[in-house]
Amino acid sequence: MPFPDSRPRRMRRTESLRRLARETRVEPADLIYPLFCVTGSGVREPVVSMPGVSRLSVDALAAEAKEIESLGLAGVILFGIPDAKDAQGSGAWDDDGIVQRSIRAIKDATPDLLVIADICLCEYTDHGHCGVFDGHQVLNDETLPLLAKAAVSAARAGADIVAPSDMMDGRVAAIRDALDEEALDQTPILSYAAKYASAFYGPFRDAAESAPASGDRRGYQMDPANEREAMREILSDLEEGADMIMVKPAMPYLDVIRSARDLVDVPLFAYQVSGEYSMLRAAMERGWLDEERGMDESLLSIRRAGADRILTYFAKDYARRVRS
Ligand code: PBG
């Protein structure tokens, strides 16, 4: 039925018609808010490169968690910033470590708020790499038991989900085995299956003090040029026992999100990372980009590409607005 019988503009005439025809929505319950946890008390320290985001001490987490729960978000993902780092990253599996204490504080304040623990060593190692570093490269198989210990420790502290973000080969199987051995067989794994070696993690590394002291992460994170390889990573993580998968970053990899959506039926997550947030915020602060529309459109694009849930630093601001 060609023009003039077909007139797509008919359904765009009013907001109620547009709402009727809308294919994709973003709800607060689709969004996960990342939290940076630090030691000390009464700390609420703004991250300069990420306007609106702060690093919080454990005692500040209860109020934060209550606010997040009342906003109806899907949950939080925790990143710990320890006081002391060492070559192995032993703070990651310290049962009294920063993330473990943070998980307990949130679960005390809000038992029903979903808590995801990011599992990686880079925040805990003095060299800043995501695994055992021999001065030249990150050793894969030597890293696996350390990640497994970190996952067990986080799950024991009360994390609802563990989310390995290191990109070692075989880490999902290693973590699954270790959890099962500790009677934590009901703890799901959200795998950062397709995580790229991205410039867009820059502001996060400031916030988490996790930049590698030497070299970069291209020996373990994925090459930004590759889409087919992401499908291989996703399938192998699912075979190893991942319950959910993630693509990260989000906006520069919408094609990868779409391919992942077409490939698998498990819950699919996308991480709108620090650099995506900072770039949008910087333009919004200058008045170059409309804040609400920029936020909405960026989140919508990620949902439209096929992600079920989005990890985003906009989560609280978005929920505040759509709920008011
Ligand atoms: C830890 C980790 C990183 C991010 C999430 N988990 C940093 C990195 O891989 O360098 C990035 C998140 C963001 O940029 O918002 N490995």
Side-chain angles (χ1 to χ4, degrees), residues 7 25 63 83 121 136 193 227 264:
R7 287 184 178 273
R25 283 176 222 281
D83 277 340
L121 303 181
H136 304 285
E227 183 263 348
V264 298

Side-chain angles (χ1 to χ4, degrees), residues 273-285:
V273 300
S274 57
E276 300 178 67
Y277 175 81
S278 299
M279 138 179 116
L280 290 167
R281 271 277 177 243
M284 289 165 181
E285 281 190 347

Side-chain angles (χ1 to χ4, degrees), residues 79 118 120 122-123 130 165 192 195 200-201 204-205 217 221 248 271 273-274 313:
F79 298 96
D118 179 272
C120 197
C122 63
E123 298 112 84
C130 303
S165 67
Y192 287 70
K195 176 172 175 179
F200 289 93
Y201 306 149
F204 173 95
R205 292 179 189 172
R217 304 208 201 293
Q221 297 179 347
K248 176 188 173 185
Y271 199 144
V273 300
S274 57
Y313 302 95

Side-chain angles (χ1 to χ4, degrees), residues 2-161:
F3 175 83
D5 297 314
S6 166
R7 287 184 178 273
R9 285 188 54 189
R10 269 186 209 123
M11 289 303 289
R12 298 179 199 143
R13 194 172 53 82
T14 65
E15 178 52 24
S16 53
L17 285 169
R18 289 191 293 273
R19 201 185 305 134
L20 197 68
R22 194 157 292 146
E23 299 173 27
T24 313
R25 283 176 222 281
V26 179
E27 310 281 352
D30 299 326
L31 307 180
I32 292 152
Y33 189 64
L35 288 174
F36 297 105
C37 313
V38 295
T39 60
S41 67
V43 182
R44 216 188 162 90
E45 185 188 348
V47 178
V48 178
S49 55
M50 300 174 70
V53 174
S54 296
R55 312 203 300 182
L56 304 178
S57 52
V58 177
D59 58 310
L61 288 171
E64 182 77 13
K66 284 189 179 136
E67 188 195 358
I68 289 166
E69 185 166 58
S70 73
L71 287 169
L73 298 179
V76 293
I77 183 161
L78 302 190
F79 298 96
I81 301 135
D83 277 340
K85 308 191 185 215
D86 59 26
Q88 291 238 302
S90 61
W93 56 88
D94 176 354
D95 288 338
D96 203 30
I98 179 67
V99 150
Q100 290 79 358
R101 284 191 284 130
S102 301
I103 295 168
R104 288 194 290 265
I106 294 174
K107 282 291 169 188
D108 276 349
T110 50
D112 295 329
L113 180 66
L114 187 88
V115 175
I116 305 173
D118 179 272
I119 304 298
C120 197
L121 303 181
C122 63
E123 298 112 84
Y124 302 92
T125 52
D126 50 17
H127 46 72
H129 281 287
C130 303
V132 177
F133 188 55
D134 73 358
H136 304 285
Q137 50 173 335
V138 172
L139 304 177
N140 193 85
D141 298 14
E142 289 78 349
T143 301
L144 300 181
L146 309 186
L147 293 166
K149 282 201 277 186
V152 166
S153 177
R156 263 201 211 122
D160 295 294
I161 295 171

